[in-house]
Amino acid sequence: MTGRRNRTEEDDVLDKELLEILACPETKEPVALASDELVARLNARIDKGELVNRGGEKVAERIEAALVRHDGKVAYPVRDGIPIMLVEEGIAL
């Protein structure tokens, strides 16, 4: 399938054990790996220059993955395998 990650690629993006202990820095809710579809939509908005993070800054760098807060309202970008778990770096969904 084009544009879909397989299970081993997901494992390479973020270690399972790390994912289990990460939580939203604002609400302390658990986070989960975003779907390929959501990452593609976010990257499309980044490419168009229309995505702004919660800190009010335009997101200029594409993301390889994202962690979505349990309530589905915020995503935290993952770049170079590192989750950026800062409130101001969160992306409102």
Side-chain angles (χ1 to χ4, degrees):
M1 283 187 244
T2 305
R4 299 280 307 166
R5 292 189 304 252
N6 64 37
R7 190 67 190 142
T8 54
E9 286 176 293
E10 284 180 1
D11 292 342
D12 290 342
V13 172
L14 264 171
D15 180 70
K16 286 181 191 179
E17 291 177 10
L18 176 61
L19 188 56
E20 288 176 10
I21 63 170
L22 288 175
C24 172
E26 180 179 25
T27 66
K28 309 305 183 228
E29 291 176 63
V31 294
L33 197 59
S35 69
D36 292 334
E37 180 184 339
L38 177 58
V39 172
R41 286 196 321 255
L42 292 173
N43 279 327
R45 291 182 60 202
I46 291 168
D47 292 344
K48 291 178 183 176
E50 56 187 42
L51 190 66
V52 176
N53 65 24
R54 294 183 68 204
E57 295 190 20
K58 189 179 289 189
V59 180
E61 186 180 340
R62 290 175 62 90
I63 60 174
E64 66 188 65
L67 297 177
V68 178
R69 192 167 74 188
H70 184 71
D71 66 5
K73 293 182 179 181
V74 177
Y76 294 95
V78 176
R79 292 192 181 93
D80 298 323
I82 300 169
I84 313 300
M85 303 297 291
L86 301 169
V87 173
E88 62 272 10
E89 292 292 329
I91 300 165
L93 299 176

